[in-house]
Amino acid sequence: MRIDKIELRHLYIPLIESFQTSTETKSHIEHILVTVQGGGILGFGECTCNQTPYYIYETTDTAWYILNKFIIPHIIGLEINTIDELLNHPMYKGVRGHNFAKAGLEMAVWDLLAKHKGVSLSQALGGTRNHIQSGVSIGIQKDSITLLRKIDGFLKQGYKRVKLKIKPGADYQFLKAIRDEYPSLPIMADANSAYKLSDIELFQRMDELNLMMFEQPLSNDDIIDHALLQKQITTPICLDESIHNAEDARKAIQLGSCRVINIKVGRVGGLQEAKKIHDICQISEIPVWCGGMHEYGIGRAHNIAISSLPNFTLPGDVSGSNKYYKEDIVNPPITIDDGRLLVPTKPGIGVEPNMEIIEQYTINHMEFCNNL
Ligand code: OSB
Ligand code: MG
């Protein structure tokens, strides 16, 4: 199928409430919606990096630049019938890093190819589940009372697993407050690289709280100190920022740097690489779960599809649309039912973009057409 048209839209959508991590506070999300047209069909993807370089070096603007200048001009007009034809194209493969930029385009091509074949994206990826387990990620709160009230609200909506963002000075006491209130709730803590190996005593103290895992406690580029920390604590370590591809996963597992991996489609450069990491982890008996970047409905539909693979055995950070936005950009909005999200069975991602809403939130727009 020939790629006839590629469209980029830079969107700006306010979050229902601002979200604080150890590195920043966000009150809106700017992602790029990627539309790829071929054979009269539209495929949709989302560049899910943030507008700021505080989680990872990429930003919305760098993704826009890389796609515009170095990738799309070489892909437009191309004949693509399998995802490998995109991935092996020298001008795609040759771009080092910029995983979130590439993933946005790659997701759109997966959606297009699945729709062309008439299969759901989950089916195209080898998914085996018809629903996935959904958790919530909660930002740093001003006090425990506010935090417990928030958690109570999410549990009433049906979520069965809670992840709390932590940073030095806002860690043990908040986690202890949750554990005291909910003795058997699955709880995890995400530090976004806020700690050092010298904080080991704090982690040993937090071991007592019986948490599911600590996510990315140490440096964003580290797998060595994480291995040293893991040897001295009982709570499993989960890596997020440190894992960019399947080779990183293999090395981290080999070193004992983690017992769980958070797979984010954008961070690892797309669905194909996400699948590879999934497979390596499965063979190594390392469970995985799908991380989130406050995606709009398009990105979350891709997350749901990848989460339907068999080794996604832990609840992920993919929540219902109403956790994030007043109105989502897709129809139907993604809704939670008894802590679970349904895996769509319609061809492709299984949700439709709502162009009227998308138009309202678009702050930059670009189209590339095949002139041949
Ligand atoms: O570290 O998992 C993270 C959001 C932006 C950047 C990094 C992270 C997050 C989240 C949000 O935790 C998860 C979600 O999308 O609900
Ligand atoms: Mg994380």
Side-chain angles (χ1 to χ4, degrees), residues 19 26 50 55 137 163 165 190 192 215 240 264 292-295 317 323-324:
F19 190 84
K26 278 188 299 249
N50 299 151
Y55 162 73
S137 173
K163 158 170 145 184
K165 292 288 184 179
D190 187 359
N192 289 109
E215 186 178 342
D240 174 349
K264 287 183 184 168
M293 292 294 295
H294 294 127
E295 285 86 351
D317 274 353
K323 151 121 198 320
Y324 308 96

PDB file of all heavy atoms in Angstrom, residues 19 26 50 55 137 163 165 190 192 215 240 264 292-295 317 323-324, ligand 1:
ATOM      1  N   PHE A  19      -0.544  17.507  37.748  1.00  0.00           N
ATOM      2  CA  PHE A  19       0.094  16.246  38.125  1.00  0.00           C
ATOM      3  C   PHE A  19       1.534  16.526  38.502  1.00  0.00           C
ATOM      4  O   PHE A  19       2.314  17.044  37.701  1.00  0.00           O
ATOM      5  CB  PHE A  19       0.017  15.301  36.911  1.00  0.00           C
ATOM      6  CG  PHE A  19       0.415  13.883  37.197  1.00  0.00           C
ATOM      7  CD1 PHE A  19      -0.501  12.976  37.725  1.00  0.00           C
ATOM      8  CD2 PHE A  19       1.707  13.445  36.919  1.00  0.00           C
ATOM      9  CE1 PHE A  19      -0.134  11.658  37.977  1.00  0.00           C
ATOM     10  CE2 PHE A  19       2.081  12.122  37.169  1.00  0.00           C
ATOM     11  CZ  PHE A  19       1.150  11.227  37.696  1.00  0.00           C
ATOM     12  N   LYS A  26       2.727  19.234  35.908  1.00  0.00           N
ATOM     13  CA  LYS A  26       2.114  19.504  34.595  1.00  0.00           C
ATOM     14  C   LYS A  26       0.635  19.786  34.747  1.00  0.00           C
ATOM     15  O   LYS A  26      -0.044  19.102  35.501  1.00  0.00           O
ATOM     16  CB  LYS A  26       2.234  18.267  33.702  1.00  0.00           C
ATOM     17  CG  LYS A  26       3.550  18.122  33.010  1.00  0.00           C
ATOM     18  CD  LYS A  26       3.498  16.979  32.014  1.00  0.00           C
ATOM     19  CE  LYS A  26       3.209  15.663  32.667  1.00  0.00           C
ATOM     20  NZ  LYS A  26       4.294  14.721  32.664  1.00  0.00           N
ATOM     21  N   ASN A  50       6.464  14.395  26.429  1.00  0.00           N
ATOM     22  CA  ASN A  50       5.929  15.625  27.018  1.00  0.00           C
ATOM     23  C   ASN A  50       6.477  16.851  26.305  1.00  0.00           C
ATOM     24  O   ASN A  50       7.451  16.776  25.568  1.00  0.00           O
ATOM     25  CB  ASN A  50       6.326  15.717  28.493  1.00  0.00           C
ATOM     26  CG  ASN A  50       5.782  14.564  29.312  1.00  0.00           C
ATOM     27  OD1 ASN A  50       6.371  14.174  30.302  1.00  0.00           O
ATOM     28  ND2 ASN A  50       4.657  14.012  28.911  1.00  0.00           N
ATOM     29  N   TYR A  55      11.316  14.276  31.864  1.00  0.00           N
ATOM     30  CA  TYR A  55      11.152  12.828  32.051  1.00  0.00           C
ATOM     31  C   TYR A  55      12.199  12.109  31.200  1.00  0.00           C
ATOM     32  O   TYR A  55      12.859  11.172  31.634  1.00  0.00           O
ATOM     33  CB  TYR A  55       9.723  12.385  31.676  1.00  0.00           C
ATOM     34  CG  TYR A  55       9.586  10.906  31.417  1.00  0.00           C
ATOM     35  CD1 TYR A  55       9.617  10.003  32.477  1.00  0.00           C
ATOM     36  CD2 TYR A  55       9.461  10.416  30.116  1.00  0.00           C
ATOM     37  CE1 TYR A  55       9.523   8.638  32.234  1.00  0.00           C
ATOM     38  CE2 TYR A  55       9.362   9.063  29.877  1.00  0.00           C
ATOM     39  CZ  TYR A  55       9.399   8.168  30.930  1.00  0.00           C
ATOM     40  OH  TYR A  55       9.309   6.831  30.685  1.00  0.00           O
ATOM     41  N   SER A 137      -2.177   6.153  38.299  1.00  0.00           N
ATOM     42  CA  SER A 137      -0.948   6.780  38.752  1.00  0.00           C
ATOM     43  C   SER A 137      -1.326   8.113  39.390  1.00  0.00           C
ATOM     44  O   SER A 137      -1.993   8.935  38.764  1.00  0.00           O
ATOM     45  CB  SER A 137      -0.025   6.985  37.545  1.00  0.00           C
ATOM     46  OG  SER A 137       1.111   7.722  37.907  1.00  0.00           O
ATOM     47  N   LYS A 163      -0.646   3.554  42.028  1.00  0.00           N
ATOM     48  CA  LYS A 163       0.774   3.910  41.984  1.00  0.00           C
ATOM     49  C   LYS A 163       0.916   5.335  42.467  1.00  0.00           C
ATOM     50  O   LYS A 163       0.165   6.207  42.035  1.00  0.00           O
ATOM     51  CB  LYS A 163       1.283   3.760  40.549  1.00  0.00           C
ATOM     52  CG  LYS A 163       2.530   4.564  40.208  1.00  0.00           C
ATOM     53  CD  LYS A 163       3.076   4.157  38.865  1.00  0.00           C
ATOM     54  CE  LYS A 163       3.675   5.335  38.122  1.00  0.00           C
ATOM     55  NZ  LYS A 163       4.123   4.941  36.778  1.00  0.00           N
ATOM     56  N   LYS A 165       3.445   8.657  43.019  1.00  0.00           N
ATOM     57  CA  LYS A 165       4.712   9.315  42.717  1.00  0.00           C
ATOM     58  C   LYS A 165       5.371   9.691  44.044  1.00  0.00           C
ATOM     59  O   LYS A 165       4.689  10.148  44.970  1.00  0.00           O
ATOM     60  CB  LYS A 165       4.457  10.580  41.895  1.00  0.00           C
ATOM     61  CG  LYS A 165       3.934  10.287  40.504  1.00  0.00           C
ATOM     62  CD  LYS A 165       5.033   9.702  39.634  1.00  0.00           C
ATOM     63  CE  LYS A 165       4.553   9.489  38.211  1.00  0.00           C
ATOM     64  NZ  LYS A 165       5.616   8.949  37.356  1.00  0.00           N
ATOM     65  N   ASP A 190       6.595   5.299  42.374  1.00  0.00           N
ATOM     66  CA  ASP A 190       7.427   5.700  41.225  1.00  0.00           C
ATOM     67  C   ASP A 190       8.230   6.945  41.577  1.00  0.00           C
ATOM     68  O   ASP A 190       7.669   8.003  41.846  1.00  0.00           O
ATOM     69  CB  ASP A 190       6.522   5.979  40.014  1.00  0.00           C
ATOM     70  CG  ASP A 190       7.317   6.228  38.729  1.00  0.00           C
ATOM     71  OD1 ASP A 190       8.565   6.206  38.783  1.00  0.00           O
ATOM     72  OD2 ASP A 190       6.678   6.449  37.677  1.00  0.00           O
ATOM     73  N   ASN A 192      10.766   8.304  39.609  1.00  0.00           N
ATOM     74  CA  ASN A 192      11.324   9.017  38.452  1.00  0.00           C
ATOM     75  C   ASN A 192      12.766   9.466  38.712  1.00  0.00           C
ATOM     76  O   ASN A 192      13.121  10.632  38.533  1.00  0.00           O
ATOM     77  CB  ASN A 192      10.445  10.206  38.040  1.00  0.00           C
ATOM     78  CG  ASN A 192       9.133   9.763  37.409  1.00  0.00           C
ATOM     79  OD1 ASN A 192       8.065   9.905  38.016  1.00  0.00           O
ATOM     80  ND2 ASN A 192       9.188   9.175  36.229  1.00  0.00           N
ATOM     81  N   GLU A 215       9.383   1.803  41.285  1.00  0.00           N
ATOM     82  CA  GLU A 215       9.656   2.093  39.875  1.00  0.00           C
ATOM     83  C   GLU A 215      10.763   3.142  39.757  1.00  0.00           C
ATOM     84  O   GLU A 215      10.691   4.202  40.381  1.00  0.00           O
ATOM     85  CB  GLU A 215       8.354   2.603  39.228  1.00  0.00           C
ATOM     86  CG  GLU A 215       8.469   2.807  37.724  1.00  0.00           C
ATOM     87  CD  GLU A 215       7.138   3.256  37.114  1.00  0.00           C
ATOM     88  OE1 GLU A 215       6.080   3.092  37.760  1.00  0.00           O
ATOM     89  OE2 GLU A 215       7.165   3.775  35.996  1.00  0.00           O
ATOM     90  N   ASP A 240      11.799   1.872  34.282  1.00  0.00           N
ATOM     91  CA  ASP A 240      11.034   2.641  33.301  1.00  0.00           C
ATOM     92  C   ASP A 240      12.061   3.392  32.441  1.00  0.00           C
ATOM     93  O   ASP A 240      12.489   2.891  31.385  1.00  0.00           O
ATOM     94  CB  ASP A 240      10.077   3.593  34.060  1.00  0.00           C
ATOM     95  CG  ASP A 240       9.304   4.563  33.173  1.00  0.00           C
ATOM     96  OD1 ASP A 240       9.625   4.679  31.978  1.00  0.00           O
ATOM     97  OD2 ASP A 240       8.387   5.243  33.664  1.00  0.00           O
ATOM     98  N   LYS A 264       6.673   1.265  27.844  1.00  0.00           N
ATOM     99  CA  LYS A 264       5.931   2.377  27.240  1.00  0.00           C
ATOM    100  C   LYS A 264       6.240   2.352  25.758  1.00  0.00           C
ATOM    101  O   LYS A 264       7.425   2.368  25.368  1.00  0.00           O
ATOM    102  CB  LYS A 264       6.379   3.725  27.821  1.00  0.00           C
ATOM    103  CG  LYS A 264       5.896   3.976  29.234  1.00  0.00           C
ATOM    104  CD  LYS A 264       6.308   5.341  29.746  1.00  0.00           C
ATOM    105  CE  LYS A 264       5.889   5.487  31.206  1.00  0.00           C
ATOM    106  NZ  LYS A 264       6.512   6.664  31.847  1.00  0.00           N
ATOM    107  N   GLY A 292       2.227   4.725  31.295  1.00  0.00           N
ATOM    108  CA  GLY A 292       1.431   5.762  30.638  1.00  0.00           C
ATOM    109  C   GLY A 292       2.180   7.073  30.558  1.00  0.00           C
ATOM    110  O   GLY A 292       3.128   7.315  31.322  1.00  0.00           O
ATOM    111  N   MET A 293       1.783   7.909  29.627  1.00  0.00           N
ATOM    112  CA  MET A 293       2.334   9.262  29.465  1.00  0.00           C
ATOM    113  C   MET A 293       1.194  10.267  29.399  1.00  0.00           C
ATOM    114  O   MET A 293       1.275  11.248  28.681  1.00  0.00           O
ATOM    115  CB  MET A 293       3.165   9.319  28.178  1.00  0.00           C
ATOM    116  CG  MET A 293       4.445   8.502  28.204  1.00  0.00           C
ATOM    117  SD  MET A 293       5.668   9.108  29.382  1.00  0.00           S
ATOM    118  CE  MET A 293       6.079  10.705  28.695  1.00  0.00           C
ATOM    119  N   HIS A 294       0.108   9.983  30.132  1.00  0.00           N
ATOM    120  CA  HIS A 294      -1.086  10.827  30.051  1.00  0.00           C
ATOM    121  C   HIS A 294      -1.586  10.920  28.616  1.00  0.00           C
ATOM    122  O   HIS A 294      -1.977  11.999  28.150  1.00  0.00           O
ATOM    123  CB  HIS A 294      -0.813  12.231  30.602  1.00  0.00           C
ATOM    124  CG  HIS A 294      -0.528  12.248  32.061  1.00  0.00           C
ATOM    125  ND1 HIS A 294       0.587  12.835  32.599  1.00  0.00           N
ATOM    126  CD2 HIS A 294      -1.209  11.741  33.093  1.00  0.00           C
ATOM    127  CE1 HIS A 294       0.574  12.686  33.912  1.00  0.00           C
ATOM    128  NE2 HIS A 294      -0.501  12.017  34.239  1.00  0.00           N
ATOM    129  N   GLU A 295      -1.554   9.796  27.941  1.00  0.00           N
ATOM    130  CA  GLU A 295      -1.956   9.763  26.533  1.00  0.00           C
ATOM    131  C   GLU A 295      -3.391  10.236  26.327  1.00  0.00           C
ATOM    132  O   GLU A 295      -4.260  10.031  27.175  1.00  0.00           O
ATOM    133  CB  GLU A 295      -1.875   8.318  26.000  1.00  0.00           C
ATOM    134  CG  GLU A 295      -0.488   7.794  25.737  1.00  0.00           C
ATOM    135  CD  GLU A 295       0.155   7.190  26.979  1.00  0.00           C
ATOM    136  OE1 GLU A 295      -0.398   7.324  28.097  1.00  0.00           O
ATOM    137  OE2 GLU A 295       1.241   6.599  26.827  1.00  0.00           O
ATOM    138  N   ASP A 317      -0.693   1.439  33.868  1.00  0.00           N
ATOM    139  CA  ASP A 317      -1.082   2.823  34.153  1.00  0.00           C
ATOM    140  C   ASP A 317      -2.061   3.360  33.115  1.00  0.00           C
ATOM    141  O   ASP A 317      -2.190   4.568  32.947  1.00  0.00           O
ATOM    142  CB  ASP A 317       0.164   3.724  34.132  1.00  0.00           C
ATOM    143  CG  ASP A 317       0.883   3.758  35.472  1.00  0.00           C
ATOM    144  OD1 ASP A 317       0.351   3.194  36.434  1.00  0.00           O
ATOM    145  OD2 ASP A 317       1.973   4.349  35.530  1.00  0.00           O
ATOM    146  N   LYS A 323     -10.062  10.076  33.832  1.00  0.00           N
ATOM    147  CA  LYS A 323      -8.991  10.331  34.815  1.00  0.00           C
ATOM    148  C   LYS A 323      -8.140  11.522  34.369  1.00  0.00           C
ATOM    149  O   LYS A 323      -7.527  12.209  35.169  1.00  0.00           O
ATOM    150  CB  LYS A 323      -8.119   9.081  34.966  1.00  0.00           C
ATOM    151  CG  LYS A 323      -6.669   9.368  35.356  1.00  0.00           C
ATOM    152  CD  LYS A 323      -6.252   8.714  36.634  1.00  0.00           C
ATOM    153  CE  LYS A 323      -5.032   9.201  37.347  1.00  0.00           C
ATOM    154  NZ  LYS A 323      -3.844   9.579  36.678  1.00  0.00           N
ATOM    155  N   TYR A 324      -8.109  11.738  33.042  1.00  0.00           N
ATOM    156  CA  TYR A 324      -7.180  12.728  32.496  1.00  0.00           C
ATOM    157  C   TYR A 324      -7.842  14.005  31.963  1.00  0.00           C
ATOM    158  O   TYR A 324      -7.391  15.105  32.240  1.00  0.00           O
ATOM    159  CB  TYR A 324      -6.404  12.112  31.324  1.00  0.00           C
ATOM    160  CG  TYR A 324      -5.739  10.795  31.616  1.00  0.00           C
ATOM    161  CD1 TYR A 324      -6.354   9.576  31.289  1.00  0.00           C
ATOM    162  CD2 TYR A 324      -4.488  10.763  32.208  1.00  0.00           C
ATOM    163  CE1 TYR A 324      -5.729   8.366  31.549  1.00  0.00           C
ATOM    164  CE2 TYR A 324      -3.856   9.559  32.468  1.00  0.00           C
ATOM    165  CZ  TYR A 324      -4.480   8.361  32.132  1.00  0.00           C
ATOM    166  OH  TYR A 324      -3.860   7.178  32.392  1.00  0.00           O
TER     167      TYR A 324
HETATM  168  O1  OSB B   1       7.048   7.821  35.040  1.00  0.00           O
HETATM  169  O2  OSB B   1       5.364   6.657  34.581  1.00  0.00           O
HETATM  170  C1  OSB B   1       5.919   7.750  34.578  1.00  0.00           C
HETATM  171  C2  OSB B   1       3.548  10.424  33.201  1.00  0.00           C
HETATM  172  C3  OSB B   1       4.445  11.187  32.484  1.00  0.00           C
HETATM  173  C4  OSB B   1       5.773  10.865  32.501  1.00  0.00           C
HETATM  174  C5  OSB B   1       6.209   9.751  33.217  1.00  0.00           C
HETATM  175  C6  OSB B   1       5.316   8.978  33.923  1.00  0.00           C
HETATM  176  C7  OSB B   1       3.959   9.346  33.950  1.00  0.00           C
HETATM  177  C8  OSB B   1       2.937   8.638  34.714  1.00  0.00           C
HETATM  178  C9  OSB B   1       1.493   8.847  34.284  1.00  0.00           C
HETATM  179  O3  OSB B   1       3.145   7.981  35.698  1.00  0.00           O
HETATM  180  C10 OSB B   1       0.771   7.580  34.009  1.00  0.00           C
HETATM  181  C11 OSB B   1      -0.526   7.802  33.273  1.00  0.00           C
HETATM  182  O4  OSB B   1      -0.497   8.048  32.042  1.00  0.00           O
HETATM  183  O5  OSB B   1      -1.577   7.720  33.910  1.00  0.00           O
END
